[in-house]
Amino acid sequence: SAVISQKPSRDICQRGTSLTIQCQVDSQVTMMFWYRQQPGQSLTLIATANQGSEATYESGFVIDKFPISRPNLTFSTLTVSNLSPEDSSIYLCSVDSGGNTGELFFGEGSRLTVL
Amino acid sequence: GDSVTQMEGPVTLSEEAFLTINCTYTATGYPSLFWYVQYPGEGLQLLLKATKADDKGSNKGFEATYRKETTSFHLEKGSVQVSDSAVYFCALRKSNSKLTFGKGITLSVRP
């Protein structure tokens, strides 16, 4: 299984600022996924990030609001821009297990509170 | 599109009670099915999985059987413990596509 480290684990930010979340994996992976978990809700995919190409965003999510970098096969960042209280969520990085069962491994998440 | 429906929660049980958490799905093709668990203050962990019809996934006393005829993947445990208190998510995934989650259900187990 992959070990995924996310930073920061939590942060409190002011409205209008931005937060960048880092995701480091202990092995090389092709596909990385960024999910959002709003309070009391399920997980929603924001985008899929493949190394060497632009991230693919899900409906309702745009690059200007959630820019993503994927500079190599073990690292990615998600930035949440122009923060508003509605962005208060847990943001999770995940990676494909690489096997044929399709399971994903998840980081412990980054809890963002916007004041 | 693909979707996962879980029974409404929360669920509160006494220790050693039998647990069933219902999950049904809508998908074309042949998805893999998963149960993930989120313990208080921790990240999301895979609990069990099944990749084809009639497969049974099992782990930590939990079981779920992939039922294609009823498009279901219900989670069961014969005797729950206080340590099973967590949020449980049913999910599906087709090859190389996104993992689609249900809404999740909170389980609380009383001593």
Side-chain angles (χ1 to χ4, degrees):
Chain A
S1 64
V3 176
I4 304 170
S5 302
Q6 279 188 237
K7 292 181 181 179
S9 58
R10 58 179 66 232
D11 206 343
I12 300 172
C13 298
Q14 296 297 319
R15 187 192 301 253
T17 64
S18 298
L19 176 71
T20 295
I21 301 166
Q22 299 179 2
C23 177
Q24 179 74 53
V25 188
D26 69 344
S27 57
Q28 294 184 337
V29 293
T30 303
M31 300 176 76
M32 295 180 77
F33 304 88
W34 285 99
Y35 281 84
R36 181 176 72 181
Q37 186 179 19
Q38 294 178 298
Q41 302 296 313
S42 186
L43 286 84
T44 302
L45 182 65
I46 298 171
T48 302
N50 290 333
Q51 195 268 335
S53 62
E54 293 285 328
T56 302
Y57 289 82
E58 295 295 303
S59 176
F61 297 95
V62 295
I63 188 171
D64 289 347
K65 176 68 175 177
F66 297 99
I68 288 171
S69 77
R70 183 78 202 276
N72 58 52
L73 290 173
T74 64
F75 187 78
S76 178
T77 67
L78 168 73
T79 299
V80 189
S81 303
N82 190 23
L83 291 168
S84 68
E86 292 72 32
D87 294 320
S88 297
S89 296
I90 299 173
Y91 293 86
L92 297 104
C93 170
S94 70
V95 302
D96 196 291
S97 65
N100 61 1
T101 58
E103 69 188 81
L104 298 187
F105 298 118
F106 285 82
E108 294 196 353
S110 299
R111 183 182 294 272
L112 168 62
T113 301
V114 183
L115 303 178
Chain B
D2 298 342
S3 65
V4 176
T5 302
Q6 291 184 234
M7 60 185 277
E8 293 289 326
V11 172
T12 301
L13 296 174
S14 297
E15 204 164 25
E16 300 183 0
F18 183 85
L19 169 71
T20 299
I21 301 178
N22 290 342
C23 171
T24 57
Y25 68 91
T26 300
T28 56
Y30 302 95
S32 293
L33 302 175
F34 307 89
W35 278 100
Y36 280 83
V37 59
Q38 191 172 38
Y39 296 105
E42 298 187 16
L44 203 63
Q45 305 173 23
L46 178 68
L47 180 60
L48 54 82
K49 64 192 176 199
T51 59
K52 60 183 187 296
D54 299 326
D55 267 2
K56 178 185 285 188
S58 60
N59 187 25
K60 299 182 180 181
F62 290 89
E63 293 183 340
T65 300
Y66 191 140
R67 300 285 189 202
K68 191 162 179 63
E69 63 276 14
T70 54
T71 61
S72 65
F73 194 54
H74 305 321
L75 183 67
E76 296 183 337
K77 186 174 186 181
S79 176
V80 293
Q81 305 301 311
V82 172
S83 57
D84 294 326
S85 298
V87 182
Y88 292 82
F89 295 93
C90 185
L92 70 80
R93 187 180 186 208
K94 294 187 291 195
S95 59
N96 291 332
S97 69
K98 67 180 180 181
L99 191 62
T100 299
F101 287 90
K103 288 187 175 181
I105 186 169
T106 299
L107 170 66
S108 298
V109 181
R110 298 182 300 233

Short mmCIF file of all heavy atoms in Angstrom, two decimals, chain B residues 41-103:
data_model
loop_
_atom_site.label_atom_id
_atom_site.label_comp_id
_atom_site.label_asym_id
_atom_site.label_seq_id
_atom_site.Cartn_x
_atom_site.Cartn_y
_atom_site.Cartn_z
N GLY B 41 -11.36 11.27 13.69
CA GLY B 41 -10.06 11.91 13.66
C GLY B 41 -9.04 11.26 12.74
O GLY B 41 -7.87 11.67 12.75
N GLU B 42 -9.47 10.28 11.95
CA GLU B 42 -8.52 9.60 11.07
C GLU B 42 -8.90 9.76 9.61
O GLU B 42 -9.98 10.25 9.27
CB GLU B 42 -8.45 8.11 11.43
CG GLU B 42 -7.96 7.85 12.84
CD GLU B 42 -7.75 6.37 13.11
OE1 GLU B 42 -7.70 5.59 12.14
OE2 GLU B 42 -7.65 6.01 14.29
N GLY B 43 -7.99 9.31 8.74
CA GLY B 43 -8.26 9.37 7.31
C GLY B 43 -9.14 8.23 6.85
O GLY B 43 -9.56 7.37 7.62
N LEU B 44 -9.40 8.22 5.56
CA LEU B 44 -10.26 7.22 4.95
C LEU B 44 -9.46 5.95 4.69
O LEU B 44 -8.38 6.01 4.11
CB LEU B 44 -10.81 7.79 3.65
CG LEU B 44 -12.10 7.22 3.10
CD1 LEU B 44 -13.24 7.49 4.05
CD2 LEU B 44 -12.40 7.85 1.75
N GLN B 45 -10.04 4.80 5.10
CA GLN B 45 -9.34 3.54 4.91
C GLN B 45 -10.25 2.57 4.15
O GLN B 45 -11.45 2.54 4.39
CB GLN B 45 -9.01 2.88 6.25
CG GLN B 45 -8.23 3.72 7.22
CD GLN B 45 -8.11 3.03 8.56
OE1 GLN B 45 -8.22 1.80 8.67
NE2 GLN B 45 -7.88 3.80 9.61
N LEU B 46 -9.64 1.76 3.31
CA LEU B 46 -10.40 0.70 2.66
C LEU B 46 -10.74 -0.37 3.69
O LEU B 46 -9.86 -0.86 4.40
CB LEU B 46 -9.59 0.09 1.52
CG LEU B 46 -10.27 -1.06 0.79
CD1 LEU B 46 -11.47 -0.56 0.00
CD2 LEU B 46 -9.28 -1.77 -0.14
N LEU B 47 -12.02 -0.74 3.78
CA LEU B 47 -12.44 -1.80 4.68
C LEU B 47 -12.49 -3.14 3.94
O LEU B 47 -11.94 -4.13 4.41
CB LEU B 47 -13.81 -1.48 5.27
CG LEU B 47 -14.41 -2.49 6.23
CD1 LEU B 47 -13.50 -2.69 7.45
CD2 LEU B 47 -15.80 -2.07 6.66
N LEU B 48 -13.17 -3.16 2.80
CA LEU B 48 -13.22 -4.37 2.00
C LEU B 48 -13.63 -4.03 0.58
O LEU B 48 -14.08 -2.91 0.31
CB LEU B 48 -14.15 -5.41 2.62
CG LEU B 48 -15.59 -5.01 2.94
CD1 LEU B 48 -16.47 -5.09 1.71
CD2 LEU B 48 -16.17 -5.87 4.06
N LYS B 49 -13.49 -5.01 -0.30
CA LYS B 49 -13.78 -4.76 -1.71
C LYS B 49 -14.25 -6.04 -2.39
O LYS B 49 -14.02 -7.15 -1.88
CB LYS B 49 -12.53 -4.23 -2.42
CG LYS B 49 -11.40 -5.26 -2.45
CD LYS B 49 -10.09 -4.66 -2.89
CE LYS B 49 -8.98 -5.70 -2.82
NZ LYS B 49 -7.64 -5.12 -2.79
N ALA B 50 -14.89 -5.88 -3.55
CA ALA B 50 -15.28 -7.01 -4.39
C ALA B 50 -15.23 -6.53 -5.83
O ALA B 50 -15.66 -5.41 -6.13
CB ALA B 50 -16.67 -7.51 -4.04
N THR B 51 -14.68 -7.35 -6.69
CA THR B 51 -14.44 -6.88 -8.06
C THR B 51 -15.37 -7.49 -9.10
O THR B 51 -15.40 -7.02 -10.24
CB THR B 51 -12.99 -7.15 -8.47
OG1 THR B 51 -12.75 -8.56 -8.37
CG2 THR B 51 -12.02 -6.41 -7.57
N LYS B 52 -16.12 -8.53 -8.74
CA LYS B 52 -17.03 -9.10 -9.72
C LYS B 52 -18.22 -9.73 -9.00
O LYS B 52 -18.20 -9.95 -7.79
CB LYS B 52 -16.33 -10.13 -10.58
CG LYS B 52 -15.75 -11.32 -9.86
CD LYS B 52 -15.03 -12.22 -10.86
CE LYS B 52 -14.57 -13.51 -10.20
NZ LYS B 52 -13.57 -13.28 -9.15
N ALA B 53 -19.24 -10.01 -9.77
CA ALA B 53 -20.49 -10.53 -9.22
C ALA B 53 -20.25 -11.79 -8.40
O ALA B 53 -19.43 -12.64 -8.76
CB ALA B 53 -21.47 -10.81 -10.35
N ASP B 54 -20.94 -11.84 -7.26
CA ASP B 54 -20.91 -12.95 -6.30
C ASP B 54 -19.65 -13.01 -5.46
O ASP B 54 -19.54 -13.86 -4.58
CB ASP B 54 -21.13 -14.30 -7.00
CG ASP B 54 -22.47 -14.37 -7.71
OD1 ASP B 54 -23.44 -13.78 -7.20
OD2 ASP B 54 -22.54 -14.99 -8.78
N ASP B 55 -18.70 -12.11 -5.71
CA ASP B 55 -17.53 -12.02 -4.83
C ASP B 55 -17.97 -11.56 -3.46
O ASP B 55 -18.85 -10.70 -3.33
CB ASP B 55 -16.53 -10.99 -5.38
CG ASP B 55 -15.49 -11.62 -6.27
OD1 ASP B 55 -15.55 -12.83 -6.51
OD2 ASP B 55 -14.61 -10.86 -6.73
N LYS B 56 -17.33 -12.09 -2.43
CA LYS B 56 -17.57 -11.61 -1.07
C LYS B 56 -16.28 -10.99 -0.56
O LYS B 56 -15.24 -11.64 -0.52
CB LYS B 56 -17.99 -12.76 -0.15
CG LYS B 56 -18.20 -12.32 1.31
CD LYS B 56 -18.49 -13.50 2.22
CE LYS B 56 -19.89 -14.00 2.04
NZ LYS B 56 -20.25 -15.01 3.06
N GLY B 57 -16.38 -9.73 -0.16
CA GLY B 57 -15.25 -9.08 0.49
C GLY B 57 -15.41 -9.21 2.00
O GLY B 57 -16.53 -9.19 2.52
N SER B 58 -14.29 -9.35 2.71
CA SER B 58 -14.38 -9.48 4.15
C SER B 58 -13.13 -8.93 4.81
O SER B 58 -12.02 -8.99 4.25
CB SER B 58 -14.57 -10.93 4.56
OG SER B 58 -13.48 -11.72 4.13
N ASN B 59 -13.31 -8.38 6.01
CA ASN B 59 -12.20 -7.81 6.77
C ASN B 59 -12.70 -7.41 8.14
O ASN B 59 -13.80 -6.84 8.27
CB ASN B 59 -11.62 -6.58 6.05
CG ASN B 59 -10.37 -6.04 6.69
OD1 ASN B 59 -9.64 -6.77 7.37
ND2 ASN B 59 -10.10 -4.77 6.48
N LYS B 60 -11.95 -7.69 9.16
CA LYS B 60 -12.26 -7.29 10.55
C LYS B 60 -13.65 -7.73 10.97
O LYS B 60 -14.30 -7.06 11.78
CB LYS B 60 -12.15 -5.76 10.69
CG LYS B 60 -10.78 -5.20 10.41
CD LYS B 60 -10.75 -3.69 10.63
CE LYS B 60 -9.37 -3.13 10.35
NZ LYS B 60 -9.31 -1.67 10.56
N GLY B 61 -14.13 -8.85 10.46
CA GLY B 61 -15.44 -9.36 10.84
C GLY B 61 -16.57 -8.80 9.99
O GLY B 61 -17.72 -9.24 10.10
N PHE B 62 -16.27 -7.82 9.14
CA PHE B 62 -17.26 -7.28 8.22
C PHE B 62 -17.27 -8.09 6.92
O PHE B 62 -16.23 -8.58 6.49
CB PHE B 62 -16.93 -5.81 7.88
CG PHE B 62 -17.12 -4.85 9.01
CD1 PHE B 62 -16.08 -4.59 9.89
CD2 PHE B 62 -18.33 -4.20 9.18
CE1 PHE B 62 -16.24 -3.70 10.94
CE2 PHE B 62 -18.50 -3.30 10.21
CZ PHE B 62 -17.46 -3.05 11.10
N GLU B 63 -18.47 -8.18 6.31
CA GLU B 63 -18.60 -8.86 5.03
C GLU B 63 -19.55 -8.08 4.13
O GLU B 63 -20.45 -7.40 4.63
CB GLU B 63 -19.19 -10.27 5.22
CG GLU B 63 -18.30 -11.23 5.94
CD GLU B 63 -18.92 -12.63 6.01
OE1 GLU B 63 -20.16 -12.73 5.85
OE2 GLU B 63 -18.18 -13.58 6.22
N ALA B 64 -19.33 -8.22 2.82
CA ALA B 64 -20.28 -7.67 1.85
C ALA B 64 -20.17 -8.51 0.59
O ALA B 64 -19.06 -8.86 0.17
CB ALA B 64 -19.98 -6.21 1.54
N THR B 65 -21.32 -8.83 -0.01
CA THR B 65 -21.34 -9.65 -1.22
C THR B 65 -21.84 -8.83 -2.39
O THR B 65 -22.86 -8.13 -2.29
CB THR B 65 -22.25 -10.87 -1.03
OG1 THR B 65 -21.74 -11.65 0.07
CG2 THR B 65 -22.26 -11.73 -2.28
N TYR B 66 -21.13 -8.91 -3.50
CA TYR B 66 -21.45 -8.20 -4.73
C TYR B 66 -22.62 -8.91 -5.39
O TYR B 66 -22.48 -10.01 -5.93
CB TYR B 66 -20.21 -8.25 -5.63
CG TYR B 66 -20.19 -7.39 -6.87
CD1 TYR B 66 -19.02 -6.75 -7.24
CD2 TYR B 66 -21.29 -7.25 -7.71
CE1 TYR B 66 -18.94 -5.99 -8.39
CE2 TYR B 66 -21.22 -6.49 -8.86
CZ TYR B 66 -20.04 -5.87 -9.21
OH TYR B 66 -19.97 -5.11 -10.36
N ARG B 67 -23.80 -8.29 -5.35
CA ARG B 67 -25.02 -8.89 -5.91
C ARG B 67 -25.41 -8.10 -7.16
O ARG B 67 -25.99 -7.02 -7.07
CB ARG B 67 -26.16 -8.83 -4.90
CG ARG B 67 -25.88 -9.55 -3.61
CD ARG B 67 -25.97 -11.03 -3.76
NE ARG B 67 -25.91 -11.72 -2.46
CZ ARG B 67 -25.56 -13.00 -2.32
NH1 ARG B 67 -25.22 -13.72 -3.38
NH2 ARG B 67 -25.56 -13.54 -1.12
N LYS B 68 -25.11 -8.68 -8.31
CA LYS B 68 -25.41 -7.94 -9.54
C LYS B 68 -26.91 -7.91 -9.83
O LYS B 68 -27.44 -6.94 -10.35
CB LYS B 68 -24.65 -8.56 -10.72
CG LYS B 68 -24.70 -7.71 -11.98
CD LYS B 68 -23.64 -8.09 -12.97
CE LYS B 68 -23.72 -7.23 -14.22
NZ LYS B 68 -23.47 -5.81 -13.88
N GLU B 69 -27.60 -9.00 -9.45
CA GLU B 69 -29.03 -9.07 -9.77
C GLU B 69 -29.84 -8.03 -9.02
O GLU B 69 -30.86 -7.56 -9.50
CB GLU B 69 -29.56 -10.48 -9.48
CG GLU B 69 -29.50 -10.91 -8.04
CD GLU B 69 -28.16 -11.49 -7.62
OE1 GLU B 69 -27.16 -11.33 -8.37
OE2 GLU B 69 -28.10 -12.09 -6.53
N THR B 70 -29.35 -7.65 -7.83
CA THR B 70 -30.05 -6.62 -7.05
C THR B 70 -29.24 -5.32 -7.00
O THR B 70 -29.64 -4.38 -6.30
CB THR B 70 -30.31 -7.10 -5.61
OG1 THR B 70 -29.07 -7.52 -5.03
CG2 THR B 70 -31.30 -8.25 -5.60
N THR B 71 -28.14 -5.27 -7.72
CA THR B 71 -27.20 -4.13 -7.72
C THR B 71 -26.95 -3.64 -6.30
O THR B 71 -27.11 -2.45 -5.97
CB THR B 71 -27.68 -2.97 -8.62
OG1 THR B 71 -28.93 -2.46 -8.16
CG2 THR B 71 -27.80 -3.43 -10.05
N SER B 72 -26.55 -4.56 -5.43
CA SER B 72 -26.36 -4.22 -4.02
C SER B 72 -25.01 -4.71 -3.51
O SER B 72 -24.38 -5.60 -4.09
CB SER B 72 -27.48 -4.82 -3.18
OG SER B 72 -27.42 -6.23 -3.23
N PHE B 73 -24.60 -4.10 -2.42
CA PHE B 73 -23.32 -4.45 -1.77
C PHE B 73 -23.47 -4.11 -0.28
O PHE B 73 -22.77 -3.27 0.26
CB PHE B 73 -22.17 -3.67 -2.42
CG PHE B 73 -20.79 -4.17 -2.08
CD1 PHE B 73 -20.43 -5.50 -2.27
CD2 PHE B 73 -19.82 -3.29 -1.59
CE1 PHE B 73 -19.15 -5.95 -1.98
CE2 PHE B 73 -18.54 -3.74 -1.29
CZ PHE B 73 -18.20 -5.06 -1.49
N HIS B 74 -24.39 -4.78 0.37
CA HIS B 74 -24.72 -4.48 1.77
C HIS B 74 -23.60 -4.93 2.71
O HIS B 74 -23.07 -6.03 2.57
CB HIS B 74 -26.02 -5.17 2.17
CG HIS B 74 -27.18 -4.83 1.28
ND1 HIS B 74 -27.40 -3.58 0.76
CD2 HIS B 74 -28.19 -5.63 0.83
CE1 HIS B 74 -28.50 -3.59 0.03
NE2 HIS B 74 -29.00 -4.81 0.05
N LEU B 75 -23.31 -4.09 3.69
CA LEU B 75 -22.26 -4.38 4.66
C LEU B 75 -22.89 -5.02 5.90
O LEU B 75 -23.89 -4.52 6.41
CB LEU B 75 -21.54 -3.09 5.05
CG LEU B 75 -20.36 -3.23 6.02
CD1 LEU B 75 -19.21 -3.97 5.35
CD2 LEU B 75 -19.91 -1.87 6.51
N GLU B 76 -22.28 -6.12 6.39
CA GLU B 76 -22.80 -6.81 7.56
C GLU B 76 -21.67 -7.15 8.52
O GLU B 76 -20.53 -7.37 8.11
CB GLU B 76 -23.51 -8.11 7.14
CG GLU B 76 -24.74 -7.89 6.29
CD GLU B 76 -25.45 -9.19 5.95
OE1 GLU B 76 -24.79 -10.25 5.99
OE2 GLU B 76 -26.66 -9.16 5.67
N LYS B 77 -22.07 -7.20 9.79
CA LYS B 77 -21.16 -7.70 10.83
C LYS B 77 -22.01 -8.35 11.89
O LYS B 77 -23.02 -7.78 12.33
CB LYS B 77 -20.29 -6.59 11.42
CG LYS B 77 -19.24 -7.15 12.40
CD LYS B 77 -18.27 -6.09 12.88
CE LYS B 77 -17.17 -6.74 13.72
NZ LYS B 77 -16.18 -5.77 14.26
N GLY B 78 -21.60 -9.51 12.32
CA GLY B 78 -22.43 -10.27 13.24
C GLY B 78 -22.47 -9.72 14.65
O GLY B 78 -23.49 -9.89 15.35
N SER B 79 -21.41 -9.07 15.08
CA SER B 79 -21.34 -8.59 16.46
C SER B 79 -20.45 -7.35 16.49
O SER B 79 -19.22 -7.46 16.44
CB SER B 79 -20.77 -9.69 17.36
OG SER B 79 -20.60 -9.23 18.69
N VAL B 80 -21.08 -6.19 16.59
CA VAL B 80 -20.30 -4.95 16.52
C VAL B 80 -19.66 -4.64 17.87
O VAL B 80 -20.15 -5.06 18.93
CB VAL B 80 -21.17 -3.76 16.06
CG1 VAL B 80 -21.60 -3.96 14.62
CG2 VAL B 80 -22.36 -3.55 16.97
N GLN B 81 -18.58 -3.89 17.80
CA GLN B 81 -17.86 -3.44 18.98
C GLN B 81 -17.85 -1.92 19.03
O GLN B 81 -18.07 -1.26 18.01
CB GLN B 81 -16.42 -3.96 18.94
CG GLN B 81 -16.31 -5.47 18.77
CD GLN B 81 -16.98 -6.21 19.89
OE1 GLN B 81 -16.77 -5.91 21.07
NE2 GLN B 81 -17.82 -7.20 19.55
N VAL B 82 -17.58 -1.40 20.22
CA VAL B 82 -17.50 0.06 20.36
C VAL B 82 -16.48 0.64 19.38
O VAL B 82 -16.69 1.71 18.81
CB VAL B 82 -17.15 0.44 21.80
CG1 VAL B 82 -16.89 1.94 21.92
CG2 VAL B 82 -18.27 0.03 22.75
N SER B 83 -15.42 -0.09 19.15
CA SER B 83 -14.35 0.38 18.25
C SER B 83 -14.77 0.44 16.78
O SER B 83 -14.03 0.98 15.95
CB SER B 83 -13.12 -0.51 18.38
OG SER B 83 -13.46 -1.85 18.10
N ASP B 84 -15.93 -0.09 16.46
CA ASP B 84 -16.45 -0.01 15.09
C ASP B 84 -17.16 1.32 14.82
O ASP B 84 -17.58 1.58 13.68
CB ASP B 84 -17.43 -1.16 14.81
CG ASP B 84 -16.76 -2.51 14.82
OD1 ASP B 84 -15.59 -2.60 14.40
OD2 ASP B 84 -17.40 -3.49 15.27
N SER B 85 -17.31 2.13 15.83
CA SER B 85 -17.95 3.44 15.66
C SER B 85 -17.15 4.27 14.67
O SER B 85 -15.95 4.54 14.89
CB SER B 85 -18.05 4.16 17.00
OG SER B 85 -18.85 3.43 17.91
N ALA B 86 -17.80 4.66 13.59
CA ALA B 86 -17.09 5.34 12.50
C ALA B 86 -18.12 5.75 11.45
O ALA B 86 -19.32 5.48 11.60
CB ALA B 86 -16.05 4.41 11.87
N VAL B 87 -17.62 6.40 10.40
CA VAL B 87 -18.46 6.69 9.23
C VAL B 87 -18.09 5.69 8.14
O VAL B 87 -16.91 5.49 7.86
CB VAL B 87 -18.26 8.13 8.74
CG1 VAL B 87 -19.18 8.42 7.55
CG2 VAL B 87 -18.52 9.13 9.86
N TYR B 88 -19.11 5.09 7.53
CA TYR B 88 -18.90 4.06 6.52
C TYR B 88 -19.41 4.57 5.17
O TYR B 88 -20.53 5.05 5.06
CB TYR B 88 -19.63 2.78 6.92
CG TYR B 88 -19.01 2.12 8.14
CD1 TYR B 88 -19.33 2.56 9.42
CD2 TYR B 88 -18.08 1.09 8.00
CE1 TYR B 88 -18.73 1.99 10.53
CE2 TYR B 88 -17.50 0.51 9.11
CZ TYR B 88 -17.82 0.97 10.37
OH TYR B 88 -17.22 0.40 11.48
N PHE B 89 -18.55 4.41 4.16
CA PHE B 89 -18.88 4.86 2.81
C PHE B 89 -18.85 3.67 1.86
O PHE B 89 -17.86 2.94 1.80
CB PHE B 89 -17.86 5.88 2.30
CG PHE B 89 -17.84 7.18 3.04
CD1 PHE B 89 -16.97 7.37 4.10
CD2 PHE B 89 -18.68 8.21 2.66
CE1 PHE B 89 -16.93 8.58 4.78
CE2 PHE B 89 -18.65 9.43 3.32
CZ PHE B 89 -17.78 9.61 4.39
N CYS B 90 -19.92 3.52 1.09
CA CYS B 90 -19.95 2.58 -0.01
C CYS B 90 -19.49 3.31 -1.27
O CYS B 90 -19.77 4.52 -1.43
CB CYS B 90 -21.37 2.05 -0.18
SG CYS B 90 -21.57 0.75 -1.39
N ALA B 91 -18.77 2.62 -2.14
CA ALA B 91 -18.24 3.29 -3.33
C ALA B 91 -18.11 2.31 -4.48
O ALA B 91 -18.02 1.10 -4.27
CB ALA B 91 -16.87 3.92 -3.02
N LEU B 92 -18.09 2.86 -5.68
CA LEU B 92 -17.87 2.03 -6.86
C LEU B 92 -16.84 2.69 -7.77
O LEU B 92 -16.65 3.92 -7.75
CB LEU B 92 -19.17 1.77 -7.63
CG LEU B 92 -19.87 2.90 -8.40
CD1 LEU B 92 -19.25 3.17 -9.76
CD2 LEU B 92 -21.34 2.55 -8.59
N ARG B 93 -16.21 1.86 -8.58
CA ARG B 93 -15.25 2.41 -9.54
C ARG B 93 -15.15 1.47 -10.73
O ARG B 93 -15.05 0.26 -10.57
CB ARG B 93 -13.87 2.56 -8.90
CG ARG B 93 -12.87 3.28 -9.80
CD ARG B 93 -11.52 3.41 -9.16
NE ARG B 93 -10.63 4.22 -9.99
CZ ARG B 93 -9.31 4.09 -10.00
NH1 ARG B 93 -8.71 3.19 -9.23
NH2 ARG B 93 -8.57 4.86 -10.78
N LYS B 94 -15.22 2.06 -11.91
CA LYS B 94 -14.91 1.32 -13.13
C LYS B 94 -13.46 1.62 -13.52
O LYS B 94 -12.91 2.62 -13.10
CB LYS B 94 -15.89 1.71 -14.24
CG LYS B 94 -17.32 1.27 -13.91
CD LYS B 94 -18.28 1.49 -15.06
CE LYS B 94 -18.50 2.95 -15.29
NZ LYS B 94 -19.68 3.21 -16.14
N SER B 95 -12.90 0.78 -14.33
CA SER B 95 -11.46 0.82 -14.56
C SER B 95 -10.97 2.21 -14.94
O SER B 95 -11.50 2.84 -15.85
CB SER B 95 -11.08 -0.16 -15.66
OG SER B 95 -11.77 0.16 -16.84
N ASN B 96 -9.98 2.70 -14.18
CA ASN B 96 -9.30 3.97 -14.44
C ASN B 96 -10.21 5.18 -14.41
O ASN B 96 -9.84 6.25 -14.89
CB ASN B 96 -8.56 3.93 -15.77
CG ASN B 96 -7.37 2.99 -15.70
OD1 ASN B 96 -6.81 2.78 -14.64
ND2 ASN B 96 -7.03 2.42 -16.83
N SER B 97 -11.39 5.04 -13.87
CA SER B 97 -12.26 6.21 -13.72
C SER B 97 -12.28 6.61 -12.25
O SER B 97 -11.56 6.06 -11.43
CB SER B 97 -13.67 5.91 -14.22
OG SER B 97 -14.30 4.99 -13.36
N LYS B 98 -13.10 7.59 -11.94
CA LYS B 98 -13.12 8.08 -10.57
C LYS B 98 -13.83 7.11 -9.66
O LYS B 98 -14.64 6.29 -10.08
CB LYS B 98 -13.81 9.44 -10.52
CG LYS B 98 -15.29 9.40 -10.86
CD LYS B 98 -15.90 10.78 -10.78
CE LYS B 98 -17.36 10.75 -11.10
NZ LYS B 98 -17.98 12.09 -11.04
N LEU B 99 -13.53 7.23 -8.38
CA LEU B 99 -14.23 6.50 -7.33
C LEU B 99 -15.46 7.32 -6.94
O LEU B 99 -15.33 8.49 -6.56
CB LEU B 99 -13.29 6.32 -6.15
CG LEU B 99 -13.68 5.37 -5.02
CD1 LEU B 99 -13.82 3.95 -5.53
CD2 LEU B 99 -12.64 5.44 -3.92
N THR B 100 -16.63 6.72 -7.06
CA THR B 100 -17.88 7.40 -6.74
C THR B 100 -18.38 6.91 -5.40
O THR B 100 -18.57 5.70 -5.21
CB THR B 100 -18.93 7.13 -7.83
OG1 THR B 100 -18.44 7.63 -9.08
CG2 THR B 100 -20.24 7.82 -7.50
N PHE B 101 -18.62 7.84 -4.48
CA PHE B 101 -19.00 7.51 -3.11
C PHE B 101 -20.49 7.70 -2.88
O PHE B 101 -21.14 8.57 -3.46
CB PHE B 101 -18.25 8.40 -2.13
CG PHE B 101 -16.80 8.07 -1.97
CD1 PHE B 101 -15.86 8.66 -2.78
CD2 PHE B 101 -16.38 7.17 -1.01
CE1 PHE B 101 -14.51 8.36 -2.64
CE2 PHE B 101 -15.04 6.87 -0.86
CZ PHE B 101 -14.10 7.46 -1.68
N GLY B 102 -21.02 6.89 -1.95
CA GLY B 102 -22.32 7.19 -1.38
C GLY B 102 -22.18 8.28 -0.33
O GLY B 102 -21.08 8.77 -0.05
N LYS B 103 -23.29 8.65 0.29
CA LYS B 103 -23.29 9.77 1.23
C LYS B 103 -22.61 9.46 2.54
O LYS B 103 -22.26 10.36 3.30
CB LYS B 103 -24.73 10.23 1.48
CG LYS B 103 -25.35 10.95 0.30
CD LYS B 103 -26.70 11.53 0.68
CE LYS B 103 -27.25 12.36 -0.48
NZ LYS B 103 -28.56 12.98 -0.14
#
